[in-house]
């Protein structure tokens, strides 16, 4: 592994098969070569299996992708979206991996398939930390810790600055790292014990919540927080073992692992294309709007003449295409668009490999392709017509109320338990009952910050429907 920062990261370090090991709260850094699996499987294939069979992955089935609590079984949940991202990610990993493997040589223990598994595992975990109600759920948690009376009066003086920043900047990516490295399987002893290569590929934003947004600049890897103070030692270990380059002048921030860009591209490809299909299914956008957005990507400019509009109009005029139903046309456009975006992303990855290893690439991979403008148009259309659709907004507003109500109850219990354990105050029966609901996790924490993080773990881990059901029960609306 790299002991000091160099001008470039090394694939030999970045593809580490060593596993995260945590004992008594400290990370045990690996020594010597990684131990092969006893059953002959690739260590990165084992990572895939561990993510898929985790309870957090299973709960994605009832978490919002775009349309919360939808009655339409055809639109994507967070789970179906994640499975598709994993599929696209594996393709990206295999195609880019063929290029990487040639550089590593025949004596390298890492194979093309390993790199495919590594990207796939990170893709399958990429949304595992998302709370109920999607990104509006993130907003609800952050808003409560910034503005609620209980948070202002009871927490500000009791927590350190970085601890407060964790609570005020809840982020699905940071929560995801906490889940895979702390909460699942080996609780607080390495979690799923994934390989460092997969963990490095997973950390989309390698910086802490305490880093001010004014200091992040234009580098896309600093756009959001990627870990909490509670996982700082784990983030440091990942950076050290993978040889991630430190971000100049910023404590606790690093340049991205190059394979992160493939994970990001897989996510962008899927939601850019498939969210439009869901929007059409639900009547948020017209068929013509979806066709206009996807046709220029399905008709790659390297193969077909004209600008985006001309490529769309030419396709619409072809007899074989006109004979298809609208549903079949959407299917054709989706398949061709995803295929072309995958190839474009891999081409950009190879073309910009030096910048990726130096940690200097600006923007994402798709932005550095000939299809970048067309992909951006798809995202813009989705924001305008789908993410802010009229049927989505009332449920998101209700989701705010649900999450705020749950936080009122659970944070109050955490504070009461802190007062009871450290100051001998009487423990209110309601706080005791809430702790039992969490299987005693609030009492077992060492301090108030730890108790509050367990509250965040519990609420953010809820599915949309469970959050609504529990809120109604705690409010006495239903019994």
């Amino acid at each position: 592994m790299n002991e000091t920062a160099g001008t470039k990261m090394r694939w030999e370090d970045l593809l580490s098969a060593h596993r995260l090991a945590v004992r008594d709260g400290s990370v045990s850094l690996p020594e010597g070569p990684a131990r092969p699996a006893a059953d002959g499987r690739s260590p990165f294939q084992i990572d895939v299996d561990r993510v898929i069979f985790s309870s957090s992955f299973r709960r994605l089935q009832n978490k919002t992708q775009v349309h919360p609590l939808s009655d339409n079984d055809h639109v994507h949940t967070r789970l179906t979206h994640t499975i598709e991202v994993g599929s696209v990610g594996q393709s990206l990993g295999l195609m880019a991996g063929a290029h990487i493997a040639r550089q590593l040589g025949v004596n390298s223990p890492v194979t093309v398939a390993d790199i495919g598994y590594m990207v796939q595992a990170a893709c399958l975990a990429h949304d595992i930390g998302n709370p109920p109600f999607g990104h509006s759920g993130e907003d609800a948690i952050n808003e409560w810790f910034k503005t609620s009376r209980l948070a202002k009066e009871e927490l500000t003086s009791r927590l350190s600055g970085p601890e407060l920043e964790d609570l005020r900047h809840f982020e699905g990516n940071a929560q995801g790292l906490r889940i895979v490295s702390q909460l699942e399987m080996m609780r607080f002893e390495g979690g799923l014990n994934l390989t460092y290569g997969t963990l490095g590929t997973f950390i989309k934003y390698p910086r802490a919540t305490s880093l001010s947004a004014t200091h992040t600049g234009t580098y896309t890897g600093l756009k959001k927080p990627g870990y909490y103070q509670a996982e700082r030692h784990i983030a440091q270990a990942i950076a050290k073992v993978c040889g991630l380059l430190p971000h100049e002048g910023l404590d606790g921030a690093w340049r991205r692992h190059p394979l992160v860009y493939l994970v990001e591209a897989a996510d962008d490809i899927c939601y850019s294309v498939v969210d439009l299909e869901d929007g059409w299914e639900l009547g948020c956008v017209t068929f013509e709007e979806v066709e206009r957005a996807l046709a220029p990507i399905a008709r790659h400019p390297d193969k077909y003449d004209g600008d985006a509009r001309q490529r769309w109009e030419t396709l619409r005029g072809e007899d074989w295409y006109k004979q298809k139903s609208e549903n079949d046309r959407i299917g054709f456009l989706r398949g061709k668009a995803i295929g072309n975006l995958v190839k474009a992303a891999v081409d950009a990855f190879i073309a910009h490999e030096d910048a990726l290893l130096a940690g200097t690439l600006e923007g994402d991979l798709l932005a550095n392709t000939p299809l970048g403008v067309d992909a951006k148009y798809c995202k813009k259309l989705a924001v305008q017509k789908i993410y802010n659709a009229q049927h989505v907004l009332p449920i998101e507003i209700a989701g705010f109320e649900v999450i705020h109500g749950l936080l009122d109850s659970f944070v109050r219990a955490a504070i009461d338990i802190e007062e009871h354990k450290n100051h001998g105050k009487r423990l209110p029966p309601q706080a005791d009952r809430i702790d039992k609901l969490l299987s005693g996790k609030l009492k077992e924490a060492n301090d108030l910050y730890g108790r509050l993080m367990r509250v965040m773990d519990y609420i953010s881990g809820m599915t949309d429907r469970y959050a609504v059901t529990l809120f109604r029960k705690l409010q006495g609306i239903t019994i």
Side-chain angles (χ1 to χ4, degrees), residues 145 344 470:
F145 279 105
L470 183 60

Side-chain angles (χ1 to χ4, degrees), residues 130-162:
N130 279 28
F133 307 107
H135 293 299
S136 70
E138 288 179 333
D139 293 339
I141 293 172
N142 294 332
E143 182 74 8
W144 190 92
F145 279 105
K146 290 175 182 176
T147 65
S148 74
R149 182 175 178 179
L150 182 60
K152 287 180 177 180
E153 293 181 355
E154 300 278 2
L155 301 183
T156 304
S157 61
R158 296 170 183 255
L159 300 173
S160 70

Side-chain angles (χ1 to χ4, degrees), residues 74-91:
H74 188 261
V75 301
H76 288 72
T77 66
R78 189 67 66 172
L79 180 61
T80 48
H81 164 75
T82 296
I83 292 170
E84 291 175 351
V85 173
S87 176
V88 172
Q90 185 182 42
S91 296

Side-chain angles (χ1 to χ4, degrees), residues 410 413-414 417 427-444 458 466 470 474:
F410 282 82
I417 290 170
L427 180 63
Q430 190 74 335
D432 188 48
R433 292 187 184 99
I434 286 177
D435 184 55
K436 288 176 180 175
L437 186 63
L438 273 68
S439 303
K441 291 183 175 67
L442 297 184
K443 289 180 182 176
E444 75 179 18
Y458 188 65
Y466 180 71
L470 183 60
L474 293 181

